[in-house]
Amino acid sequence: MSPSRSRSLSPAVQGTCCAAVLLALAGCASLQPDQAVAPVQALTREHMQADLPWQQTQQARQAAQARTQALLAQPLDAQASVQLALLNHRGLQATLYGLGMADADRVQALLWPNPVLSLGRLVRGEETEIERGLSFNLTALLARGARQAAAQQSLERLQLDAAQQVLAVAGDARRSWIQAVASQAQLRHAQIVLDAAEAGAELALRMHKAGNISAYRLAREQAVQADARLWVDQTRLQAARDRSALLRALGLDASTGAALRLPDQLPPLPDERRSPAALEQQALDQRLDIQAARRQTGQLAASLGLTRQTRLVNVLQLGYENNRSNTEPTQHGPSLSLELPLFDWGQARTARARQAYEQSLEQTAQVALEAHAEVRDAQLRADQAWRTARRYQQEVLPLARQISDETLLRYNGMLLGVNDLLADAREQARLMAASLMAERDYWLAEADLSQSLLGPLDSGGPSRSSTAAAPSATPGPRSGAAGH
């Protein structure tokens, strides 16, 4: 029964069945660009506690703009600056589209090779032959599994590269925020110093008119006032530059960034430091550049397997031919074409793939070594900056306040003059400015350390600006301007 039913199927039904089979084979490989971006978004949420939306539609872009406005409606902290950068950085959006392209390449590797249809018409005297053939590339079909693995590993490697770029953008935003907040605090302090210097210069001028101090002492007090004004000008310029660098890191233009407000000071210093051994192990476990190097090694290993499979078979095609003649019966049957490896045995391709694999192993080991050294260096810098900032807060400034209290007591007891009191005030201002810079340097070093635990400090994102990477060149007020 079943054979007769099979023979009774009409050509239309047979064509429909063939089309259904082809559609089923094609449906096994579907485009999923959102799934390609999802691992990067998950890593961003896990390690940065921030979202990285892919703004493919106008609705998504409007949602990002609304969230940007909500973040700008309150004073911006370090975490909010990272979120703003991820929402507005156009380069990250371009990278996400690149992952969509890689997903398309993955699907392309999953697709079955297209059959080749050949048609021919041959005439010999009164005889005419019509040749029709249908063939498949068996080499491509046999290597399909290896291509699938290589394409998947390539996509995963690109995902790790994208995650490194996200890390670099977030780190640049955090450093720029630290620098901008510190510069703003320095500007406020410089203004306080200027107010004190102007009061001292005014007092000195009155005392000089009364004949209580010499022209020399008056000139010294006026020099202190001029120096304080210069310091305010330089600090104001630095604060403006750092704010501009922050807006660039956040991906905001001047009109949108006008609503940005910063806190008055940096967060307080932590009470203790993290364990060096735990930090180094954490870096080796989760650094993105190490994972990317491992992915590349796996991809080359898959490529080596593919090269070994096809080293002797470059072109292998299986087909079906149908030749029809007006004088002879129709000829039909299968055909097989094979490229004979007489000169090229594929040994060069296999050797090259093997060397590339060994090279990748060595590069992975070197990446791990450099990552370990980078984390260790970042930790040393952060630890030293923490100790310096703590020393200012726990030793230097308390001693300076004690000295100031003693100076004020002696001034009230007429043991010291007003010039001594002003000189002590200027020394207090200098030490406070140095303490603010020490706090800023610590938080910058801590930002570098946190980034080094996940990836390199100088790749995958925008380069660090000079204002965000180096200490400010703005000098403090001169402490010895007043003589006795």
Side-chain angles (χ1 to χ4, degrees), residues 1-11 13-14:
M1 290 292 291
S2 60
S4 62
R5 287 183 181 179
S6 176
R7 287 191 297 269
S8 64
L9 292 176
S10 64
V13 174
Q14 294 178 6

Side-chain angles (χ1 to χ4, degrees), residues 24-44:
L25 293 176
C28 295
S30 59
L31 293 171
Q32 298 177 339
D34 292 333
Q35 295 299 321
V37 173
V40 180
Q41 295 172 326
L43 187 143
T44 302

Side-chain angles (χ1 to χ4, degrees), residues 323-337:
N323 297 333
R324 178 179 297 176
S325 173
N326 60 348
T327 60
E328 299 291 339
T330 300
Q331 298 177 339
H332 56 85
S335 65
L336 181 68
S337 61

Side-chain angles (χ1 to χ4, degrees), residues 348-423:
R349 294 196 310 274
T350 303
R352 187 186 188 284
R354 181 68 185 180
Q355 296 298 325
Y357 174 70
E358 296 292 343
Q359 179 190 50
S360 181
L361 288 177
E362 298 298 332
Q363 290 175 343
T364 301
Q366 182 64 28
V367 168
L369 180 64
E370 293 177 356
H372 184 273
E374 188 175 50
V375 171
R376 185 170 60 249
D377 178 70
Q379 184 190 16
L380 290 175
R381 290 188 290 110
D383 288 348
Q384 180 57 43
W386 178 79
R387 286 191 292 268
T388 301
R390 293 269 290 186
R391 195 174 300 278
Y392 268 105
Q393 291 187 357
Q394 296 183 351
E395 298 180 21
V396 177
L397 292 183
L399 286 174
R401 284 192 291 269
Q402 182 180 353
I403 293 173
S404 179
D405 294 339
E406 295 294 330
T407 301
L408 182 60
L409 288 175
R410 284 162 175 73
Y411 172 76
N412 292 333
M414 298 183 180
L415 299 177
L416 294 176
V418 66
N419 293 323
D420 300 296
L421 193 63
L422 293 174

